[in-house]
Amino acid sequence: MSVTITAVTTAAPPVVTTATTTAPTGRPTAPPHPAPARTPDSARPPAAGLPPGDVDNRATYVSFGLAYLLGHGSAAVSEGAAPLLDLPGWLPMTLLGAGLAVGTVQATVAALRAQRTAAEPDDVLSGKLLGAAWVTAFAALFLAITGLTATLDLPDVQSLLWPTGSGFVVGLLYIAEGAQRRNLLHYGLGTWLALTSTAALLLGSPGLYWVLTLAGGGAYALAAVLERRRLATPAAARTP
């Protein structure tokens, strides 16, 4: 009797490594950090510290202040029975006219800047009208003074009406701008200029020019200093 022994060998199963590949879905992949959208210039907020519709008036104050100090000041020292300086008669009016022209441009630019930063449609329209009012007011003043001097045949009256008339017109425009922008400094300066410019007519020459030089030029210098302080104050604290 024979016995057959069969040996069974068990082999370990092979290890199979399967790589998983994810097929693309075809959808666009968003960048991790999308670029911010460009903001149009018209939609950008105004300069820091300035509420919508408000502007920095220091350039306008300096321009008109120099016109008052140089133009009226040169007239004050060269007019009267005993003038302090012998200056050409055309010099005071030239200095005054140049300063007023520069100041008018600065004021018009400020009004247009306030219009661009305004948030409400009514404020935009008000800014446009105030900017155009500067040109209209001085054109009307020119026609009024020229007509009066030609009709009355008093050409020397121009030397009295232009200084006082321009101060009166500028004062009224400041009052309108201050009321529209809620700027008490601008409103107060306009009130002061309108009153002092017309009251100076009571003094005649050369007292008229001294009043305009000291009261008007001094008011502009003070307003320029106070404007810097106003702009440094937070908008929420200075808006009524």
Side-chain angles (χ1 to χ4, degrees), residues 190-237:
T191 303
W192 176 259
L193 291 175
L195 293 176
T196 55
S197 298
T198 51
L201 284 170
L202 301 174
L203 302 178
S205 179
L208 174 148
Y209 300 107
W210 284 112
V211 171
L212 295 176
T213 301
L214 299 177
Y220 273 114
L222 179 61
V225 175
L226 295 179
E227 179 73 353
R228 180 180 181 181
R229 182 179 301 178
R230 184 184 75 88
L231 296 174
T233 304

Side-chain angles (χ1 to χ4, degrees), residues 22-120:
T22 303
T25 60
R27 298 179 182 177
T29 304
H33 300 287
R38 180 180 177 84
T39 303
D41 293 338
S42 59
R44 291 179 180 176
L50 289 178
D54 199 3
V55 293
D56 184 353
N57 295 302
R58 285 178 292 183
T60 305
Y61 293 163
V62 170
S63 299
F64 277 109
L66 290 176
Y68 271 64
L69 293 175
L70 298 178
H72 298 322
S74 60
V77 298
S78 62
E79 296 285 342
L84 300 178
L85 295 176
D86 186 13
L87 299 176
W90 54 266
L91 183 60
M93 291 297 296
T94 301
L95 293 175
L96 177 64
L100 291 179
V102 174
T104 302
V105 172
Q106 294 283 358
T108 304
V109 170
L112 295 177
R113 189 181 301 118
Q115 165 205 333
R116 289 195 299 268
T117 59
E120 299 295 332

